[in-house]
Amino acid sequence: MPCLNGKAFLFKLRFMNKRIMEGRKRIALVAHDHKKNELVEWALFNKATLAKHRLYATGTTGSLLEEELDQSITKLLSGPLGGDQQIGARIAEGKIDVLIFFWDPMEAQPHDPDIKALLRVAVTWNIPIACDRATADFILTSPLMHETYEPVIEDYSSYIKRKLK
């Protein structure tokens, strides 16, 4: 990507503050090792609904889901190898609309900083996040999942323009 001058960067930032989620959402599916089976079960239960959307997943989770759902899934790297960061980058670029992340609260992960960064980016860009099955059910059954939606994005231009000491 070419380097932007100040005015072009602020214009791009203002444009980035307006995002439209189409009726066909781009859903990232992520699960820690002890939660993969639960995510696969949930996805199978919701197979018909998920088929209406574009799916992305990290490493092994993506392979398991693709096999079980018989649906094409964009597979990224395994989470600890950079997959969480790849999903975070897509969220920041406006290329992921929803994050379904079944994480294991009882087990520390070697890539915990990456997980925290992924969740921070998802909150920063105000996308729906489910970290458990109940929340995933609520998100997937929302009427907004099948409609065009414009989330409210905080204006970070003052943060970008702040003076560093």
Side-chain angles (χ1 to χ4, degrees), residues 33-161:
D33 287 346
H34 292 104
K35 293 291 186 170
K36 289 188 191 318
N37 288 338
E38 184 179 355
L39 181 63
V40 169
E41 288 173 11
W42 175 84
L44 280 170
F45 183 81
N46 293 290
K47 182 177 180 174
T49 302
L50 290 172
K52 299 173 186 172
H53 303 283
R54 285 175 278 172
L55 304 180
Y56 299 78
T58 52
T60 309
T61 304
S63 297
L64 290 170
L65 288 167
E66 193 169 61
E67 183 179 317
E68 292 290 332
L69 296 177
D70 194 31
Q71 177 180 351
S72 177
I73 296 178
T74 301
K75 293 180 289 301
L76 306 170
L77 296 173
S78 174
L81 298 177
D84 296 332
Q85 292 177 343
Q86 287 178 303
I87 288 179
R90 281 179 165 79
I91 292 169
E93 295 167 346
K95 296 177 181 176
I96 296 285
D97 302 314
V98 176
L99 174 61
I100 308 293
F101 186 176
F102 284 18
W103 60 276
D104 187 350
M106 299 301 180
E107 189 156 325
Q109 302 293 321
H111 62 297
D112 274 341
D114 297 339
I115 296 163
K116 184 175 181 181
L118 172 59
L119 295 172
R120 185 182 58 75
V121 163
V123 169
T124 299
W125 292 105
N126 196 22
I127 70 164
I129 308 164
C131 292
D132 57 42
R133 191 174 188 146
T135 309
D137 286 340
F138 273 82
I139 289 173
L140 205 63
T141 59
S142 168
L144 297 174
M145 276 300 292
H146 307 287
E147 299 175 4
T148 299
Y149 178 76
E150 184 178 344
V152 175
I153 306 293
E154 187 171 336
D155 180 2
Y156 291 106
S157 59
S158 61
Y159 176 79
I160 298 296
K161 293 186 287 186

Side-chain angles (χ1 to χ4, degrees), residues 2-13:
C3 183
L4 300 174
N5 67 30
K7 287 182 184 178
F9 179 77
L10 289 176
F11 174 79
K12 183 172 176 67
L13 182 63

